[in-house]
Amino acid sequence: MKIFIFDNAHQIGNAVGKLFVDAINEKPDIVLGLATGASPVPTYKYIAKQCAGGKVSLKDVKTYNLDEYVNLPKSDKNSYYSFMHHELFDHTDIKEKNVHFLNGNARDTEKECRKYDEMLEKAGVDIQLLGVGRNGHIGFNEPSICFSKGSFKVKLTQSTINANKKYFDENPMPTEALTMGVGSIMKAKKIVLIAVGNEKADAIAALVHGDVTPVCPVSILQFHHDVEIYLDKAAASLL
Ligand code: F6R
């Protein structure tokens, strides 16, 4: 596990953004696993800027997002579909047919999850971008008694609801989501995790120094052979 510590989120965005731009230029049809939330926003800004400046093209890139809320219309500003278009896709030349999300409005969520897992398996993620929850969740894999394998429907914990409800000013925040499983996340060839702020310090300390346990899902990354962790000083303060 390689750990990089920066002064602020902007610097992390430039470093991780460059990592992605270089990887895309090296393999134009790369398959990316993407995250939402505050952590990757500066990275997406960097990639969008490079794309606008003609330094990289996403026209053959394929993406698979980690998670999506259940029963939230795709068009809602808080759906992860909207988030990704607003923060990244709309500012690049990526093709709509190449971006993939779990459908949180699927009538049969079991079937939807199996379909997503089959697509993921076939595509093979080259680089998976992750944030981490205060409670150590990755994707929406909340603390549990066992690690999940494939995608599934999850009931969000109070900690996750508290962290995200600020975005829901019009409608109440959904309490369920579909998420990629820990097993699928671990299949990515490379994993890049970003954590910013004091409230992530416990999860990062558990990731680096703790036991591997589903009670802190991010700890599983200790078993991956190619993980890079990008932290600001606050998130790294307990290391
Ligand atoms: C989002 C996701 C979550 C977030 C995590 C951190 O797709 O999978 O695991 O990465 O909740 O969120 P932020 O970055 O908002 O602190």
Side-chain angles (χ1 to χ4, degrees):
M1 183 184 305
K2 288 189 195 147
I3 302 175
F4 303 93
I5 301 172
F6 293 83
D7 285 337
N8 56 53
H10 178 73
Q11 290 177 1
I12 295 176
N14 288 349
V16 178
K18 185 174 181 320
L19 182 155
F20 274 89
V21 165
D22 289 348
I24 296 165
N25 281 330
E26 195 173 308
K27 185 179 180 190
D29 61 347
I30 196 166
V31 179
L32 302 177
L34 297 179
T36 57
S39 306
V41 169
T43 297
Y44 294 154
K45 278 206 165 60
Y46 181 95
I47 298 171
K49 199 170 162 196
Q50 297 302 308
C51 195
K55 299 280 194 302
V56 70
S57 167
L58 273 63
K59 75 178 175 46
D60 295 320
V61 170
K62 292 185 188 62
T63 67
Y64 290 83
N65 260 81
L66 276 169
D67 38 25
E68 182 58 281
Y69 290 114
V70 164
N71 282 338
L72 189 66
K74 220 170 146 178
S75 56
D76 190 287
K77 73 172 167 65
N78 283 311
S79 77
Y80 286 161
Y81 176 89
S82 295
F83 176 98
M84 287 306 303
H85 281 78
H86 184 253
E87 298 296 341
L88 181 65
F89 299 152
D90 290 352
H91 315 290
T92 73
D93 55 350
I94 199 160
K95 294 182 183 132
E96 182 64 22
K97 72 174 169 74
N98 286 342
V99 306
H100 304 87
F101 291 84
L102 281 153
N103 176 7
N105 293 294
R107 214 179 292 163
D108 185 342
T109 49
E110 268 284 320
K111 200 167 153 198
E112 171 63 15
C113 288
R114 295 294 72 78
K115 195 179 91 188
Y116 203 65
D117 289 344
E118 277 164 27
M119 285 196 299
L120 276 171
E121 189 71 40
K122 209 163 150 201
V125 172
D126 291 297
I127 309 180
Q128 175 67 55
L129 181 60
L130 293 178
V132 61
R134 299 167 191 192
N135 61 4
H137 74 219
I138 48 175
F140 273 141
N141 289 273
E142 301 282 32
S144 175
I145 50 164
C146 58
F147 288 113
S148 60
K149 287 196 185 112
S151 304
F152 69 107
K153 180 155 87 175
V154 63
K155 201 169 158 30
L156 301 173
T157 59
Q158 200 54 47
S159 157
T160 301
I161 293 170
N162 291 344
N164 290 300
K165 67 181 180 201
K166 59 178 180 279
Y167 300 117
F168 290 82
D169 42 11
E170 287 159 16
N171 302 311
M173 180 179 161
T175 55
E176 292 181 323
L178 300 186
T179 182
M180 263 166 71
V182 170
S184 304
I185 292 170
M186 289 292 283
K187 280 188 189 159
K189 293 184 192 116
K190 180 182 191 77
I191 296 180
V192 175
L193 181 138
I194 298 173
V196 174
N198 271 321
E199 62 274 18
K200 303 293 173 70
D202 284 326
I204 294 302
L207 159 62
V208 177
H209 298 305
D211 295 335
V212 174
T213 164
V215 173
C216 182
V218 72
S219 64
I220 192 81
L221 300 188
Q222 290 179 30
F223 288 159
H224 195 282
H225 64 282
D226 186 0
V227 181
E228 294 190 9
I229 300 178
Y230 291 77
L231 308 172
D232 71 344
K233 287 184 178 151
S237 59
L238 299 179
L239 296 184

